[in-house]
Amino acid sequence: MIKNKTRLMSLILTFGMVIGTIGAGSLDVKAESLGSTIRLEDTGVELADNIERGRCPYTWVKVDSSSCPVLNPKGGMYSIMYDLRYFSSGNSFSKDGYNSSNGCGGNKNLTEHPNFLKAFENTLSNARKNGTSLVLRFSYASDKTVGNEPGLTKDGDSTVYHNTELIRQHIKQLSEVINRNKDVVLAVECGMFGPWGEMHSSMYDIDKCNNYDPQFSNAIIDRWLNKLDPSIKVLVRAPKHLMGYYGYANDAAGFNAAVANGSLKLNQRLGMYNDGYLGTSTDYGTFGEENEWPYITRDKGIDMLEKLTEVPYGGECAYVDRDTLKSHGSPIYDGSKFMSELYRTHLSYLHNINSEDEVLISELNHVDVSKSDLVKGLDASDVAPYIDHSYRKFMRDHMGYRILVKESKLSSEVSKDGTFTMSGSMKNLGFGNFLTKKYTEVILKNGDKTYVASVDSFNANDLTSLATKNYKWTFSVPSDIASGNWDVYIRIRNNRNTQEASAKTGIRFANPDCFNDGIRANKIGTIKVSGGNSKGGSEFKEVR
């Protein structure tokens, strides 16, 4: 009896080995999974190639008499800053702690350079080819110097006057190039005066005894808003520039009240960039300790930024020593309050979030996200890979938007004369919203053959921060589709000036192992096309 059992076991093992050999060989006995196959969890990695959000490396281009370089910006978001002092005579402004004007080339029209405008336009074209969105800044100083902006002298008069007309002309010429490439430019940081274009320490930044006069910043803001295409956002350096623009010079309390009660209608094209971010309780003077003109406090600034839902907010984490960081009230140590600020301000980009050798970024690596920090609407299951990991990682991956498919169903089979359905839900886990119009498509792919259908019933822009949006779509298959297994993808993209350029803006979902770089779309699952008499719809399209 024992011998018979042993023989039976031997036969079973032998049969198993034969089946295993077949499976490992040329015969594939395992059927491909059909229906929805996407994993409904956050992969916990950076989505650096998604447009209009996240890390935003930058390059300064200092224009001189030589040929201007053509850049090739790559990644989801990139910032280019142009130093235009070559086109400026400079002026006599000076300030303690800053170097005086240097390297200026005399007041010139931008067309007087042999190739600057052409090189600039070619750079924008390269960004389009790479599926990249840009934030631009123009200044007359890319360093710690003052007095570089255009000045004006009169015969027999040694005084250097403001030359606003030349600045206005430069903005007009720049805007003409930008408008021809409006599909790649997300925003322009207002710039145009001050060291690094940060709109301070300049003859165009009038600050007498803390009584800031906004006349020149207002003129520059107006010029950008009027000359740029309405789709392009304009960002200023500090709340004082917004307060002055909206007519609340010398009235911080009135500004705060008007924002709070809604009587002030904030222009959703006009926002703010912050190059002192998180360094101190005031972000190095971006905000004030008190609500006294020309400052509002950080809390009031957050109230304002919370209402600016359609513009990017970001800039650069401050360069600071560790003692200053810990003794001057940086918000990074405030746990749930800090998390709330990130979501309320809709933080969307930072230049140096991956510069881990910098003090502030290094410190963010040592401050961990806790479950108790999570804001309302953000479940621990949504961000499981980030709990008890660093705020740097969490910020890097959640700036702007972050789309996760939370539920998914897909028909497993369709006949050639039939229809199939897909349904589910998506959630935006990011700090912010989509900042430009998005278009949704479903793609069928089998080898090199693809079919693309527009999903007009779905407005992806409804996926605002922490919102969940359900979907249920029905599609007819094209009459000439081949039988077999077809992968089904969702693509959410921008609309650019060509179909190819538009496809390159497809965004990567947070779900793991679903993204196809070739078509920049997210695989939901696989459907089998079979049977039928080929009398279905003549094209692949949504049926409503």
Side-chain angles (χ1 to χ4, degrees):
M1 191 70 178
I2 294 175
K3 289 181 179 179
N4 289 339
K5 282 187 176 179
T6 303
R7 186 165 179 240
L8 178 62
M9 183 61 69
S10 176
L11 288 171
I12 291 171
L13 289 172
T14 302
F15 180 73
M17 290 175 66
V18 170
I19 293 298
T21 303
I22 293 173
S26 59
L27 264 175
D28 184 6
V29 299
K30 182 181 179 183
E32 182 175 357
S33 297
L34 299 176
S36 179
T37 59
I38 190 169
R39 291 163 55 192
L40 306 176
E41 61 193 54
D42 194 314
T43 189
V45 301
E46 182 181 15
L47 309 178
D49 55 356
N50 278 347
I51 59 170
E52 300 168 2
R53 50 83 46 213
R55 72 158 85 174
C56 184
Y58 71 92
T59 298
W60 271 105
V61 177
K62 186 175 180 180
V63 183
D64 57 26
S65 58
S66 61
S67 180
C68 187
V70 174
L71 303 185
N72 190 31
K74 296 181 179 180
M77 195 169 186
Y78 201 93
S79 184
I80 307 174
M81 307 178 188
Y82 285 93
D83 182 332
L84 304 178
R85 74 182 76 184
Y86 170 80
F87 302 99
S88 169
S89 64
N91 59 74
S92 55
F93 180 86
S94 62
K95 185 174 181 177
D96 290 344
Y98 290 83
N99 297 321
S100 296
S101 171
N102 65 70
C104 295
N107 291 337
K108 300 183 186 70
N109 192 294
L110 299 184
T111 59
E112 293 182 57
H113 189 279
N115 80 319
F116 165 61
L117 290 177
K118 183 177 180 180
F120 175 42
E121 185 143 23
N122 287 340
T123 292
L124 302 188
S125 178
N126 284 343
R128 180 181 296 107
K129 293 175 185 176
N130 296 327
T132 301
S133 61
L134 297 177
V135 175
L136 302 174
R137 187 191 304 180
F138 304 91
S139 174
Y140 300 96
S142 54
D143 50 23
K144 197 176 181 179
T145 61
V146 297
N148 290 306
E149 303 87 0
L152 186 64
T153 58
K154 300 178 182 179
D155 291 342
D157 187 346
S158 61
T159 303
V160 179
Y161 295 94
H162 301 93
N163 191 347
T164 55
E165 282 307 308
L166 185 60
I167 296 176
R168 285 167 55 84
Q169 179 66 17
H170 288 168
I171 291 175
K172 177 178 180 292
Q173 292 174 311
L174 293 166
S175 296
E176 289 169 351
V177 177
I178 294 170
N179 290 343
R180 289 196 294 271
N181 299 273
K182 61 185 180 181
D183 55 330
V184 302
V185 179
L186 173 63
V188 172
E189 296 175 342
C190 205
M192 302 311 290
F193 61 81
W196 306 286
E198 291 192 13
M199 304 179 72
H200 62 76
S201 306
S202 164
M203 70 182 292
Y204 291 87
D205 178 64
I206 305 173
D207 194 349
K208 296 180 179 178
C209 299
N210 213 34
N211 190 23
Y212 176 72
D213 183 341
Q215 63 171 300
F216 293 112
S217 61
N218 284 355
I220 290 172
I221 293 168
D222 267 331
R223 188 66 166 174
W224 279 121
L225 288 173
N226 291 332
K227 290 301 176 184
L228 287 173
D229 185 89
S231 65
I232 298 171
K233 325 294 184 180
V234 176
L235 310 177
V236 298
R237 174 61 186 88
K240 72 177 184 180
H241 301 118
L242 294 172
M243 295 159 71
Y245 181 76
Y246 287 117
Y248 286 89
N250 300 310
D251 188 8
F255 178 77
N256 291 336
V259 169
N261 64 31
S263 60
L264 174 59
K265 302 303 179 185
L266 294 169
N267 185 339
Q268 286 295 324
R269 281 185 68 200
L270 185 59
M272 190 179 109
Y273 62 100
N274 186 346
D275 283 0
Y277 190 53
L278 303 180
T280 65
S281 62
T282 66
D283 288 355
Y284 274 105
T286 300
F287 305 103
E289 297 289 357
E290 303 291 338
N291 289 305
E292 296 179 354
W293 173 257
Y295 298 105
I296 56 175
T297 62
R298 182 182 210 95
D299 286 346
K300 292 301 181 183
I302 293 170
D303 289 344
M304 175 191 69
L305 290 165
E306 186 172 21
K307 296 179 183 297
L308 294 173
T309 60
E310 299 174 28
V311 288
Y313 173 63
E316 191 165 63
C317 288
Y319 296 96
V320 62
D321 62 80
R322 187 162 276 101
D323 289 341
T324 299
L325 188 67
K326 292 195 170 184
S327 63
H328 285 71
S330 174
I332 69 173
Y333 304 107
D334 285 346
S336 59
K337 186 176 180 181
F338 180 43
M339 174 79 76
S340 175
E341 176 178 325
L342 293 171
Y343 276 95
R344 290 184 63 201
T345 59
H346 317 294
L347 180 71
S348 51
Y349 73 101
L350 288 171
H351 298 312
N352 55 348
I353 190 64
N354 282 344
S355 300
E356 297 181 69
D357 55 338
E358 296 294 339
V359 169
L360 201 162
I361 308 301
S362 174
E363 194 68 8
L364 283 169
N365 267 335
H366 293 90
V367 179
D368 287 347
V369 174
S370 166
K371 284 185 181 180
S372 61
D373 294 348
L374 301 184
V375 299
K376 184 179 179 180
L378 189 65
D379 301 326
S381 60
D382 292 334
V383 291
Y386 298 92
I387 302 298
D388 299 325
H389 291 274
S390 76
Y391 258 96
R392 186 191 75 84
K393 175 180 169 68
F394 183 78
M395 291 168 61
R396 180 197 68 188
D397 296 356
H398 290 80
M399 284 189 285
Y401 57 86
R402 185 176 180 89
I403 307 302
L404 178 71
V405 176
K406 297 274 289 179
E407 299 178 64
S408 177
K409 293 182 180 179
L410 173 66
S411 300
S412 59
E413 186 170 358
V414 62
S415 62
K416 291 184 180 181
D417 56 355
T419 61
F420 73 89
T421 62
M422 55 192 303
S423 62
S425 66
M426 304 179 198
K427 185 172 182 179
N428 179 1
L429 305 176
F431 303 146
N433 310 327
F434 289 134
L435 298 175
T436 56
K437 173 67 177 173
K438 295 293 180 283
Y439 299 82
T440 304
E441 296 169 325
V442 167
I443 301 172
L444 296 179
K445 180 173 173 57
N446 183 322
D448 294 332
K449 180 67 175 178
T450 61
Y451 294 95
V452 181
S454 174
V455 188
D456 297 329
S457 65
F458 186 80
N459 183 3
N461 289 76
D462 291 339
L463 279 165
T464 55
S465 178
L466 298 180
T468 298
K469 185 173 177 64
N470 298 324
Y471 63 90
K472 186 174 182 179
W473 307 322
T474 301
F475 298 92
S476 63
V477 295
S479 57
D480 60 349
I481 192 169
S483 298
N485 291 340
W486 288 77
D487 292 334
V488 182
Y489 293 82
I490 295 177
R491 180 165 64 197
I492 298 176
R493 59 162 177 82
N494 279 30
N495 193 27
R496 292 200 159 173
N497 69 348
T498 67
Q499 187 174 5
E500 181 182 11
S502 297
K504 288 186 176 180
T505 66
I507 68 167
R508 187 186 299 260
F509 293 168
N511 304 75
D513 305 322
C514 68
F515 194 68
N516 184 313
D517 286 287
I519 60 173
R520 292 203 61 84
N522 304 272
K523 183 179 175 181
I524 300 301
T526 302
I527 190 169
K528 182 178 180 180
V529 177
S530 62
N533 54 17
S534 299
K535 292 182 180 180
S538 61
E539 58 182 324
F540 176 43
K541 64 181 180 179
E542 183 184 13
V543 178
R544 287 193 285 169

